[in-house]
């Protein structure tokens, strides 16, 4: 989380909380100043585009592989981390586990902030996590952005990557996807775009509202203020059809056939919002940020999540919502959410 503009940020979020009784918004995790968006110009497609392919693999440990995949749609290599089971000769399902607004390009990652390596050590599943995609919302942008470049993440994650993962690792063909904060919005749109790809979707402290004014305001904060990108390059004019087409709340009926798991806290300080918490480590500035900024953000996310649950129920989508009585917008809660939702996801994947 940022260590600047806490008071100003809390004030702005407090207004959003007050206004959120009738509308939701989309939030990403609190800003991280360590992410530096690419300033390289988007690559120009070759006359004969190269196919998407695995460029290289490198063993990190006996159970972790670093993968470089060339994306034909984006014209560049994408780095991914893959955890695989000890018995990698026996086919296993795949969980695509996405990072938040930093896209794995900063220090706020599943690898750095959680015990996910240890947690999945004895589980028969391949866990695939991109280490790129900062401020992209993991979607297909309508236009190349002068700062954020070419983003065709929906194409990459739903069309290009899965067959390469299936070929590189022994998989069963069963997939699920999970994400936090920013990617807690993305997972819904990815499932809608590829209705047969995922058996289940998990959104931890995500928000499905993207086309309402509050949602657009926060996306502008993430993409524009933090990433220095132009949000109209993502889904077009703010009043245009692109934003409604990418609003999971408005398209909840398209998630039929997929099991949905959502989690959120109320924003009130909880067990991980104390000086002795692992990721606070006695730092008063970290604690203040997490309680104030993280609390305000999670309160809004919770309101949005409750609204999404209502939309999914109305559409007849199999949905499980876990609302924590306390908890801020922070990693310890997301680690716990992964632990508690995994048994259900594993059952969906046939990995239980």
């Amino acid at each position: 989380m940022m260590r600047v503009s806490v008071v100003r940020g809390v004030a702005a979020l407090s207004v959003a909380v007050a206004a959120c009784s009738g509308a939701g918004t989309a939030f990403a995790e609190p800003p991280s100043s360590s992410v530096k968006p690419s300033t390289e110009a988007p690559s120009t497609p070759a006359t004969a585009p190269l196919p998407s392919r695995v460029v290289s693999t490198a063993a990190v440990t006996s159970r972790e592989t670093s993968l470089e995949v060339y994306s034909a749609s984006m014209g560049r290599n994408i780095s991914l981390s893959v955890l695989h089971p000890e018995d990698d000769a026996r086919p296993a399902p795949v969980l695509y586990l996405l990072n938040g607004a930093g896209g794995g390009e900063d220090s706020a990652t599943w690898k750095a902030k959680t015990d996910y390596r240890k947690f999945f050590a004895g589980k028969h599943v391949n866990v695939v996590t991109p280490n790129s995609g900062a401020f992209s919302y993991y979607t297909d942008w309508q236009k190349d952005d002068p700062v954020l470049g070419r983003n065709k993440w929906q194409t990459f994650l739903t069309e290009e990557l899965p067959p390469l993962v299936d070929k590189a690792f022994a998989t069963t063909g069963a997939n699920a996807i999970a994400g936090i904060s920013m990617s807690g919005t993305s997972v819904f749109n990815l499932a809608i775009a590829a209705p047969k790809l995922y058996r289940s979707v998990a959104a931890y402290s995500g928000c499905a509202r993207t086309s309402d004014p509050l949602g657009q305001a926060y996306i502008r904060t993430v993409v524009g203020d933090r990433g220095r990108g132009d949000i109209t390059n993502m889904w077009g004019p703010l009043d245009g059809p692109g934003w409604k087409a990418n609003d999971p709340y408005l398209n909840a009926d398209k998630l039929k056939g997929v099991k949905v798991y959502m989690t959120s806290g109320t924003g009130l300080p909880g067990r991980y919002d104390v000086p002795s918490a692992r990721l606070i480590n006695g730092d008063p500035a970290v604690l203040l940020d997490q309680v104030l900024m993280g609390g305000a953000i999670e309160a809004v996310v919770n309101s949005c999540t409750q609204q999404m649950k209502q939309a999914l129920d109305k559409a007849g989508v199999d949905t499980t919502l876990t609302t924590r009585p306390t908890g801020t917008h922070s990693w310890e809660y997301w680690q716990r959410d992964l632990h508690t939702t995994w048994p259900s996801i594993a059952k969906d994947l046939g990995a239980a």
Side-chain angles (χ1 to χ4, degrees):
M1 296 184 182
M2 289 178 59
R3 304 290 174 258
V4 296
S5 304
V6 173
V7 175
R8 183 177 59 187
V10 171
L13 284 167
S14 297
V15 173
V17 172
C20 204
S21 59
T25 184
F27 279 88
E29 65 272 14
S32 170
S33 60
S34 61
V35 179
K36 298 183 183 301
S38 170
T39 56
E40 296 180 3
S43 59
T44 302
T47 303
L50 295 171
S52 299
R53 64 197 186 281
V54 174
V55 175
S56 66
T57 61
V60 178
T61 69
S62 62
R63 290 196 57 258
E64 181 178 354
T65 297
S66 177
L67 204 65
E68 289 285 330
V69 173
Y70 176 77
S71 166
S73 62
M74 290 188 275
R76 59 188 174 95
N77 291 347
I78 305 298
S79 171
L80 303 106
S81 295
V82 182
L83 302 182
H84 39 86
E86 293 180 8
D87 182 7
D88 54 11
R90 181 164 62 95
V94 180
L95 172 65
Y96 290 92
L97 185 62
L98 306 183
N99 288 302
E105 299 175 32
D106 60 0
S107 61
T109 65
W110 286 102
K111 184 179 294 187
K113 298 295 186 181
T114 76
D115 67 350
Y116 99 124
R117 280 192 182 106
K118 179 180 179 182
F119 178 71
F120 284 111
K123 296 171 175 58
H124 196 69
V125 63
N126 297 290
V127 183
V128 179
T129 302
N131 299 316
S132 186
F135 315 122
S136 69
Y137 269 84
Y138 288 113
T139 189
D140 278 6
W141 287 42
Q142 292 184 3
K143 298 179 181 178
D144 292 348
D145 189 83
V147 175
L148 298 178
R150 176 166 296 138
N151 288 291
K152 297 293 182 182
W153 287 97
Q154 183 173 291
T155 296
F156 177 71
L157 290 170
T158 64
E159 299 177 21
E160 297 174 343
L161 182 61
L164 297 175
V165 169
D166 290 343
K167 186 177 180 180
F169 302 92
T171 72
T172 62
N175 305 294
I177 190 165
I180 58 159
S181 199
M182 179 192 82
S183 64
T185 300
S186 309
V187 293
F188 290 117
N189 280 330
L190 291 167
I192 289 170
K196 301 297 184 181
L197 183 58
Y198 310 110
R199 294 188 180 183
S200 55
V201 169
Y204 308 132
S205 296
C207 186
R209 300 298 295 270
T210 61
S211 65
D212 70 302
L214 286 173
Q216 290 177 340
Y218 196 82
I219 292 174
R220 182 184 290 110
T221 300
V222 174
V223 175
D225 296 347
R226 293 182 58 189
R228 295 186 287 113
D230 183 344
I231 63 172
T232 63
N233 287 331
M234 187 164 74
W235 292 326
L238 297 182
D239 59 350
W243 287 81
K244 291 182 174 62
N246 287 280
D247 190 330
Y249 177 81
L250 299 180
N251 296 285
D253 63 310
K254 296 179 181 178
L255 288 162
K256 288 182 179 178
V258 179
K259 290 190 177 181
V260 174
Y261 305 95
M262 296 188 295
T263 67
S264 64
T266 60
L268 296 173
R271 62 188 296 184
Y272 302 122
D273 305 302
V274 295
S276 60
R278 178 176 61 89
L279 296 179
I280 294 176
N281 198 28
D283 188 329
V286 174
L287 178 60
L288 181 66
D289 236 9
Q290 187 162 303
V291 170
L292 295 183
M293 283 292 287
I297 290 173
E298 193 71 6
V300 177
V301 165
N302 182 49
S303 176
C304 176
T305 299
Q306 302 294 334
Q307 292 174 27
M308 184 60 177
K309 177 63 162 60
Q310 294 173 6
L312 290 167
D313 287 347
K314 184 177 180 180
V317 177
D318 188 342
T319 306
T320 300
L321 169 62
T322 301
T323 302
R324 293 179 261 102
T326 59
T328 58
H329 203 69
S330 50
W331 278 99
E332 288 278 25
Y333 296 102
W334 300 329
Q335 174 177 284
R336 186 181 179 190
D337 291 341
L338 176 63
H339 289 193
T340 57
T341 57
W342 171 249
S344 296
I345 297 172
K347 185 176 180 180
D348 299 335
L349 292 173

